[in-house]
Amino acid sequence: MQIFKTIAEMQTWCREQKRQGQTIGLVPTMGYLHAGHLALARAARSQCDTVVVSIFVNPIQFGVGEDFEDYPRDLEKDSQLLADAGVDALFAPSIREMYPPGYNSYVEVTGEITGKLCGRSRPGHFRGVTTVVSKLFNICLPDLAFFGQKDAQQVMIIEKMAKELNFPLQIVRVPIVREADGLAMSSRNVYLNPEQRKQALVLSQSLQQAQELIRAGERDAGKVKQLMCTTINSSPEANIDYAEIYDADDLADVDEIQGRVLLALAVRIGTTRLIDNLIVEVQ
Ligand code: PAF
């Protein structure tokens, strides 16, 4: 596996791949890789000739007081995992390479899709994400770019951005990978102590219970949200940031559950903020 640290080298290499007729699959990550990231790399491996993974802890998507400094990093271990997964190239630029002094250009998706859920709790977060992802698209020239469904709002926003800004590529959503007990894989799970790790199960449990209630015929979104909150609040360390139900295609408000809906959660377990979601479809 080749490792590139500069934009110029990465872009030149990707241009050469394209000149040779290779399709490029890009997997953008912030590193500290887990099985969820490796599922993205596997999906890219099976659908593209050349697979590029980026590792960059993007400072501009973290707010003041968030965990940018503490975010776990292990480039050596990550490189080994990616090489073992058959990845062709790793792009691991420095902050200065991506945002040199005097940097002033940002990409922002506005409207309802960014104003809710994590967009409301983390102002500026998605502007940071869409800016870095646009840069990665321009540097790595992917035909396909792979994102996890765990960040459901993020992938919806990136799809909208790619469509509206005419990026010549396809976004591929990859399903959430969970631990055997249901906890969604996340680099932030390492922050949890053993007791918090147990309590974190209330996220996936509340989604499952909500799904069961909907399948049993409940159509009142308020009642389903209430059940989600009751389950989460049974954990003494849990603090709900949001527990919402929105239209799964455009995040429009939902009072009566119909069609495809997104059940979305952000919950602090101790000081660790975790997100999870489930799409439920009703006829
Ligand atoms: O999902 C992530 O890990 C990040 O938000 C992304 C897409 C790599 C952008 O920094």
Side-chain angles (χ1 to χ4, degrees):
M1 184 180 71
Q2 308 233 33
I3 301 182
F4 297 98
K5 300 245 171 177
T6 70
I7 292 170
E9 284 170 325
M10 184 75 252
Q11 210 171 34
T12 303
W13 189 83
C14 289
R15 276 207 197 103
E16 180 54 23
Q17 301 300 306
K18 294 204 88 100
R19 204 188 58 74
Q20 292 176 15
Q22 305 282 299
T23 56
I24 298 178
L26 172 67
V27 180
T29 81
M30 298 205 298
Y32 213 74
L33 304 176
H34 51 65
H37 296 115
L38 297 178
L40 298 176
R42 264 200 313 277
R45 182 70 287 159
S46 69
Q47 296 180 47
C48 306
D49 301 322
T50 300
V51 178
V52 180
V53 174
S54 64
I55 295 184
F56 179 62
V57 185
N58 176 33
I60 67 165
Q61 70 184 74
F62 289 80
V64 176
E66 291 188 349
D67 59 343
F68 172 68
E69 301 292 343
D70 295 337
Y71 197 84
R73 293 159 169 91
D74 191 342
L75 191 57
E76 208 172 306
K77 184 168 168 223
D78 287 348
S79 309
Q80 193 53 57
L81 287 169
L82 294 175
D84 294 347
V87 168
D88 299 295
L90 165 61
F91 180 48
S94 64
I95 293 176
R96 204 185 162 84
E97 180 70 8
M98 291 295 269
Y99 304 116
Y103 185 91
N104 281 131
S105 302
Y106 297 89
V107 177
E108 187 167 16
V109 176
T110 58
E112 199 161 53
I113 196 168
T114 46
K116 296 177 164 176
L117 303 175
C118 292
R120 194 168 56 199
S121 315
R122 304 182 68 191
H125 168 67
F126 286 121
R127 179 179 187 253
V129 170
T130 43
T131 298
V132 79
V133 168
S134 301
K135 286 171 71 70
L136 292 168
F137 287 171
N138 286 330
I139 295 164
C140 302
L141 313 174
D143 297 283
L144 273 65
F146 296 79
F147 294 89
Q149 179 61 25
K150 180 170 153 272
D151 296 294
Q153 187 180 16
Q154 169 174 278
V155 72
M156 288 170 83
I157 291 168
I158 291 170
E159 281 169 350
K160 188 168 166 65
M161 175 192 79
K163 185 168 170 231
E164 292 181 353
L165 293 181
N166 313 103
F167 280 103
L169 50 82
Q170 190 190 324
I171 306 296
V172 182
R173 293 186 186 205
V174 177
I176 298 177
V177 178
R178 297 181 180 279
E179 305 272 4
D181 60 6
L183 181 67
M185 297 270 181
S186 164
S187 302
R188 290 189 169 98
N189 290 349
V190 293
Y191 298 147
L192 302 169
N193 67 31
E195 180 52 34
Q196 292 170 337
R197 170 67 185 73
K198 273 189 227 152
Q199 296 202 16
L201 290 180
V202 289
L203 278 89
S204 54
Q205 284 166 354
S206 72
L207 292 171
Q208 284 304 323
Q209 289 172 9
Q211 175 172 251
E212 280 161 29
L213 188 61
I214 295 168
R215 294 218 166 126
E218 183 60 66
R219 294 292 176 265
D220 181 338
K223 288 198 178 137
V224 179
K225 284 191 251 185
Q226 212 167 32
L227 173 72
M228 283 157 51
C229 291
T230 306
T231 305
I232 295 164
N233 287 332
S234 70
S235 152
E237 291 225 40
N239 265 302
I240 298 175
D241 177 352
Y242 60 72
E244 296 289 355
I245 301 178
Y246 289 121
D247 184 282
D249 295 320
D250 57 8
L251 292 190
D253 290 339
V254 166
D255 292 327
E256 194 195 329
I257 295 174
Q258 269 178 346
R260 269 162 40 88
V261 293
L262 176 75
L263 316 184
L265 300 176
V267 178
R268 278 203 169 68
I269 303 288
T271 55
T272 305
R273 185 175 179 279
L274 300 176
I275 59 172
D276 200 352
N277 70 81
L278 187 66
I279 291 181
V280 181
E281 195 160 358
V282 293
Q283 305 310 324

mmCIF file of all heavy atoms in Angstrom, residues 28-30 37 56 58 61 125 129 132-133 147 151 154 158, ligand 1:
data_model
loop_
_atom_site.group_PDB
_atom_site.id
_atom_site.type_symbol
_atom_site.label_atom_id
_atom_site.label_comp_id
_atom_site.label_asym_id
_atom_site.label_seq_id
_atom_site.Cartn_x
_atom_site.Cartn_y
_atom_site.Cartn_z
ATOM 1 N N PRO A 28 -13.386 8.074 2.993
ATOM 2 C CA PRO A 28 -12.870 9.105 3.901
ATOM 3 C C PRO A 28 -13.079 8.681 5.353
ATOM 4 O O PRO A 28 -14.176 8.238 5.724
ATOM 5 C CB PRO A 28 -13.729 10.338 3.582
ATOM 6 C CG PRO A 28 -14.459 10.013 2.316
ATOM 7 C CD PRO A 28 -14.606 8.522 2.318
ATOM 8 N N THR A 29 -12.038 8.793 6.172
ATOM 9 C CA THR A 29 -12.163 8.448 7.597
ATOM 10 C C THR A 29 -11.356 9.435 8.442
ATOM 11 O O THR A 29 -10.553 10.199 7.911
ATOM 12 C CB THR A 29 -11.623 7.024 7.929
ATOM 13 O OG1 THR A 29 -10.196 7.088 8.065
ATOM 14 C CG2 THR A 29 -11.994 5.998 6.898
ATOM 15 N N MET A 30 -11.585 9.346 9.750
ATOM 16 C CA MET A 30 -10.738 10.105 10.673
ATOM 17 C C MET A 30 -9.809 9.135 11.430
ATOM 18 O O MET A 30 -9.221 9.496 12.448
ATOM 19 C CB MET A 30 -11.590 10.916 11.647
ATOM 20 C CG MET A 30 -12.457 11.946 10.913
ATOM 21 S SD MET A 30 -12.916 13.360 11.900
ATOM 22 C CE MET A 30 -13.842 12.585 13.184
ATOM 23 N N HIS A 37 -15.260 0.815 9.636
ATOM 24 C CA HIS A 37 -14.421 1.384 8.568
ATOM 25 C C HIS A 37 -13.974 0.285 7.598
ATOM 26 O O HIS A 37 -13.919 0.496 6.389
ATOM 27 C CB HIS A 37 -13.159 2.020 9.159
ATOM 28 C CG HIS A 37 -13.417 3.186 10.052
ATOM 29 N ND1 HIS A 37 -13.131 3.168 11.406
ATOM 30 C CD2 HIS A 37 -13.907 4.422 9.789
ATOM 31 C CE1 HIS A 37 -13.440 4.331 11.930
ATOM 32 N NE2 HIS A 37 -13.923 5.117 10.990
ATOM 33 N N PHE A 56 -7.797 11.590 8.290
ATOM 34 C CA PHE A 56 -7.527 12.991 8.615
ATOM 35 C C PHE A 56 -8.523 13.412 9.693
ATOM 36 O O PHE A 56 -9.731 13.389 9.458
ATOM 37 C CB PHE A 56 -7.690 13.869 7.362
ATOM 38 C CG PHE A 56 -7.459 15.332 7.612
ATOM 39 C CD1 PHE A 56 -6.214 15.795 8.053
ATOM 40 C CD2 PHE A 56 -8.477 16.261 7.409
ATOM 41 C CE1 PHE A 56 -5.995 17.155 8.295
ATOM 42 C CE2 PHE A 56 -8.274 17.612 7.643
ATOM 43 C CZ PHE A 56 -7.021 18.056 8.083
ATOM 44 N N ASN A 58 -10.255 15.995 11.112
ATOM 45 C CA ASN A 58 -10.524 17.288 10.477
ATOM 46 C C ASN A 58 -10.890 18.343 11.527
ATOM 47 O O ASN A 58 -12.011 18.346 12.030
ATOM 48 C CB ASN A 58 -11.691 17.067 9.497
ATOM 49 C CG ASN A 58 -12.155 18.333 8.838
ATOM 50 O OD1 ASN A 58 -11.352 19.226 8.578
ATOM 51 N ND2 ASN A 58 -13.454 18.413 8.566
ATOM 52 N N GLN A 61 -14.376 20.397 11.736
ATOM 53 C CA GLN A 61 -15.703 19.833 12.013
ATOM 54 C C GLN A 61 -15.929 19.616 13.512
ATOM 55 O O GLN A 61 -16.950 19.075 13.916
ATOM 56 C CB GLN A 61 -15.939 18.558 11.209
ATOM 57 C CG GLN A 61 -15.123 17.345 11.637
ATOM 58 C CD GLN A 61 -15.366 16.158 10.702
ATOM 59 O OE1 GLN A 61 -14.883 16.133 9.576
ATOM 60 N NE2 GLN A 61 -16.105 15.159 11.166
ATOM 61 N N HIS A 125 -20.535 21.985 12.428
ATOM 62 C CA HIS A 125 -19.984 20.639 12.208
ATOM 63 C C HIS A 125 -20.091 20.218 10.737
ATOM 64 O O HIS A 125 -19.099 19.815 10.114
ATOM 65 C CB HIS A 125 -20.705 19.641 13.116
ATOM 66 C CG HIS A 125 -20.431 18.208 12.792
ATOM 67 N ND1 HIS A 125 -19.187 17.635 12.962
ATOM 68 C CD2 HIS A 125 -21.227 17.217 12.272
ATOM 69 C CE1 HIS A 125 -19.230 16.361 12.584
ATOM 70 N NE2 HIS A 125 -20.446 16.092 12.160
ATOM 71 N N VAL A 129 -17.508 19.202 7.681
ATOM 72 C CA VAL A 129 -17.527 17.903 6.986
ATOM 73 C C VAL A 129 -17.606 18.121 5.472
ATOM 74 O O VAL A 129 -16.829 17.537 4.701
ATOM 75 C CB VAL A 129 -18.719 17.038 7.467
ATOM 76 C CG1 VAL A 129 -18.893 15.804 6.584
ATOM 77 C CG2 VAL A 129 -18.543 16.617 8.926
ATOM 78 N N VAL A 132 -14.270 19.447 4.017
ATOM 79 C CA VAL A 132 -13.168 18.486 3.886
ATOM 80 C C VAL A 132 -13.504 17.406 2.853
ATOM 81 O O VAL A 132 -12.637 16.972 2.083
ATOM 82 C CB VAL A 132 -12.754 17.877 5.246
ATOM 83 C CG1 VAL A 132 -13.686 16.776 5.711
ATOM 84 C CG2 VAL A 132 -11.331 17.365 5.192
ATOM 85 N N VAL A 133 -14.770 16.988 2.811
ATOM 86 C CA VAL A 133 -15.144 15.938 1.858
ATOM 87 C C VAL A 133 -15.025 16.478 0.423
ATOM 88 O O VAL A 133 -14.545 15.770 -0.480
ATOM 89 C CB VAL A 133 -16.554 15.382 2.177
ATOM 90 C CG1 VAL A 133 -17.080 14.510 1.051
ATOM 91 C CG2 VAL A 133 -16.520 14.576 3.476
ATOM 92 N N PHE A 147 -19.583 5.867 2.495
ATOM 93 C CA PHE A 147 -19.855 6.465 3.807
ATOM 94 C C PHE A 147 -20.762 5.526 4.595
ATOM 95 O O PHE A 147 -21.630 4.859 4.035
ATOM 96 C CB PHE A 147 -20.544 7.826 3.654
ATOM 97 C CG PHE A 147 -19.671 8.858 3.006
ATOM 98 C CD1 PHE A 147 -19.653 9.005 1.623
ATOM 99 C CD2 PHE A 147 -18.837 9.665 3.766
ATOM 100 C CE1 PHE A 147 -18.823 9.940 1.017
ATOM 101 C CE2 PHE A 147 -18.007 10.602 3.170
ATOM 102 C CZ PHE A 147 -18.006 10.744 1.798
ATOM 103 N N ASP A 151 -23.627 7.458 10.386
ATOM 104 C CA ASP A 151 -23.740 8.919 10.339
ATOM 105 C C ASP A 151 -24.805 9.254 9.286
ATOM 106 O O ASP A 151 -24.496 9.777 8.205
ATOM 107 C CB ASP A 151 -22.393 9.535 9.973
ATOM 108 C CG ASP A 151 -21.352 9.260 11.043
ATOM 109 O OD1 ASP A 151 -21.505 9.762 12.155
ATOM 110 O OD2 ASP A 151 -20.400 8.505 10.761
ATOM 111 N N GLN A 154 -25.082 12.804 8.050
ATOM 112 C CA GLN A 154 -23.881 13.167 7.282
ATOM 113 C C GLN A 154 -23.982 12.645 5.846
ATOM 114 O O GLN A 154 -23.725 13.373 4.887
ATOM 115 C CB GLN A 154 -22.641 12.586 7.970
ATOM 116 C CG GLN A 154 -21.379 12.670 7.129
ATOM 117 C CD GLN A 154 -20.141 12.225 7.895
ATOM 118 O OE1 GLN A 154 -19.584 12.996 8.645
ATOM 119 N NE2 GLN A 154 -19.689 11.008 7.699
ATOM 120 N N ILE A 158 -24.045 14.790 2.386
ATOM 121 C CA ILE A 158 -23.006 14.613 1.360
ATOM 122 C C ILE A 158 -23.644 14.227 0.022
ATOM 123 O O ILE A 158 -23.226 14.708 -1.038
ATOM 124 C CB ILE A 158 -21.955 13.584 1.836
ATOM 125 C CG1 ILE A 158 -21.150 14.197 2.996
ATOM 126 C CG2 ILE A 158 -21.023 13.169 0.702
ATOM 127 C CD1 ILE A 158 -20.252 13.239 3.737
HETATM 128 O O1 PAF B 1 -17.360 10.309 9.215
HETATM 129 C C1 PAF B 1 -16.206 10.737 9.400
HETATM 130 O O2 PAF B 1 -15.328 10.015 9.874
HETATM 131 C C2 PAF B 1 -15.884 12.163 9.023
HETATM 132 O O3 PAF B 1 -16.936 13.026 9.298
HETATM 133 C C3 PAF B 1 -15.417 12.322 7.563
HETATM 134 C C4 PAF B 1 -16.513 11.942 6.575
HETATM 135 C C5 PAF B 1 -14.194 11.445 7.313
HETATM 136 C C6 PAF B 1 -15.029 13.771 7.291
HETATM 137 O O4 PAF B 1 -14.005 14.183 8.124
#
